[in-house]
Structures are given as structure tokens and as C-alpha cells.
Amino acid sequence: MKKILITLTMLIFVFFIYGIEVNANTDNYQTFVEIMMNEGKLLKNFTEEEYDAMIDKIKNHKFAGVSIYIENNNIDASYISNTLYSVENNGSTDVTYDIEITVETNNKISFNASESLSAQASGTVSKIKGDIGAKCGAEFSTQTTTSRKEKQTMKLVVEKHSRAIIYLTGNLSISNGVAAYDFLWIRVCQGGWEIVKLKNQYSRIEKASIL
């Protein structure tokens, strides 16, 4: 717990008021403080050698269409999102705060493609995205890509001579790999891709003595 508190404290803003509303930006999973996969790794952590080995899986060109290789398919993961609130109580009595937090309540699907894939295939990204999603069981639509948010209220009691931190956490599933688009047997573009499904999200409180 102490290690988590030290890490999160470096990423916080302290608010010196007794009532506070906090809106968390969870639209981009790449901004999360930490993502812990049960196995495999995120797209950004692939080495050049691993990337080249995956590209070799789709080296045969097509007359036209998308070639897809899946390295990790719907791997379970947990995450720590944004630190929402932190306060220290150096006094000799407990202090109570009224907190309002906004969290995601519906499943949401995020799609990320490497620059080489998305930049060179501006006219075909939607097709590539759709074909990859179909292989990974991800249907891209307004309902799945735009999550509903819900406000929650709580009372936070910060005991004397202690610190409290509130942050968002939850569970994801992650799929990634490489894809290429060919036209007339010519490779138009290729690159890495990643699909992240947000399963749930909730707030967590960590407390520690500051003596």
C-alpha cells in the first residue's frame, strides 16, 4: 500500500476545500497511470524485433483487403486511472469531506493504431478498424465507443495525522497485434493496432499515517 501511495502522490493535485467535484478523463486508456495485464504486453511495449516477427505473419500480399495477426486476444487486465483527490490532515482531529466523483458505468471500446497504420490509411482506417474488431469480438458503434458516466457521492473521513488518496481503478480486456491493407497486391500500409474494452470502473481510497 505504501508503494502505491508514494507513486500516486507524485501525480496529484491537492485541493484545500471541503466539498469537491471531480471529473475523470478516461477517454484515452493510454493516459492511465498503470495497466497490469495477466499475460502479454501493450502495443507500446513491443520491441522492434517482436514487431518485425508479427509483420512476418502477414507478409503475403492480397489482391485487396485487410490482413490481420492477433498477438494477444482479449487478455484480462486491471488498471489505475487518474488520481482524483488527495488531502493531508496535520491536525489533531478528524476532518470529513464531501466528495463527488464521476465514473464510467458502461462498457466502452477504445481503438489505437500505430502512426504508420493510421496516417497512411486515412481513407481505409474505418474498414481496418471494423475488420479487426470483428476478429476480436468488438463491435464499434456509438453505444460501445461512448460510455455513459455517472456521478457518485461519498463522505471521506481523514483521520488526524494521516493522508487519504482517491483514485479510479477497474478491469479491462486487451487485444493487439498487427494489420496491413493491400490493394492490387500492393501493400498500402501496415502497422500495430490495439483494442481495449473497459469492463468496469470504481473509486478506491488509500490511507496512510504521515507521522
Side-chain angles (χ1 to χ4, degrees):
M1 179 185 294
K2 183 175 291 185
K3 182 179 179 182
I4 293 176
L5 281 168
I6 293 172
T7 301
L8 293 173
T9 302
M10 297 173 65
L11 301 164
I12 60 173
F13 293 99
V14 179
F15 300 88
F16 297 98
I17 54 177
Y18 279 61
I20 183 168
E21 178 179 347
V22 184
N23 292 291
N25 176 15
T26 58
D27 294 338
N28 186 356
Y29 70 92
Q30 296 178 82
T31 66
F32 288 175
V33 173
E34 187 175 7
I35 296 177
M36 291 101 13
M37 297 176 66
N38 288 354
E39 58 182 289
K41 61 175 69 175
L42 292 169
L43 177 64
K44 66 180 181 180
N45 295 327
F46 287 142
T47 66
E48 186 174 346
E49 290 76 17
E50 289 170 333
Y51 174 80
D52 290 341
M54 289 187 291
I55 288 294
D56 282 343
K57 304 286 186 181
I58 54 171
K59 62 183 178 181
N60 294 329
H61 292 203
K62 293 182 174 182
F63 173 73
V66 181
S67 300
I68 300 166
Y69 171 73
I70 301 174
E71 176 70 13
N72 296 295
N73 192 12
N74 290 315
I75 302 299
D76 290 331
S78 58
Y79 68 94
I80 296 174
S81 181
N82 303 326
T83 299
L84 303 181
Y85 183 72
S86 175
V87 64
E88 289 186 1
N89 180 6
N90 292 298
S92 58
T93 59
D94 298 348
V95 180
T96 300
Y97 294 83
D98 292 317
I99 307 293
E100 188 173 86
I101 298 171
T102 301
V103 299
E104 302 277 0
T105 58
N106 283 9
N107 289 350
K108 180 175 65 176
I109 300 175
S110 299
F111 179 83
N112 176 43
S114 64
E115 185 176 347
S116 58
L117 186 66
S118 59
Q120 296 179 39
S122 57
T124 57
V125 165
S126 59
K127 175 172 176 51
I128 295 172
K129 181 177 175 180
D131 287 359
I132 293 173
K135 281 216 167 192
C136 298
E139 180 182 352
F140 292 98
S141 67
T142 302
Q143 288 73 33
T144 55
T145 57
T146 304
S147 176
R148 183 171 62 87
K149 296 184 178 183
E150 181 179 89
K151 289 186 178 181
Q152 300 177 353
T153 59
M154 68 171 69
K155 286 190 178 294
L156 172 65
V157 178
V158 184
E159 291 77 9
K160 60 184 180 180
H161 307 304
S162 68
R163 175 191 297 114
I165 295 175
I166 301 177
Y167 59 93
L168 290 179
T169 185
N171 297 287
L172 308 163
S173 67
I174 298 172
S175 301
N176 53 33
V178 294
Y181 181 75
D182 299 330
F183 184 70
L184 298 179
W185 291 288
I186 297 174
R187 182 132 300 180
V188 178
C189 63
Q190 64 184 25
W193 58 267
E194 191 159 66
I195 293 176
V196 173
K197 301 178 187 177
L198 178 69
K199 293 182 176 180
N200 54 55
Q201 185 176 93
Y202 51 91
S203 59
R204 175 170 291 174
I205 300 173
E206 299 282 358
K207 295 182 179 180
S209 172
I210 56 177
L211 288 180

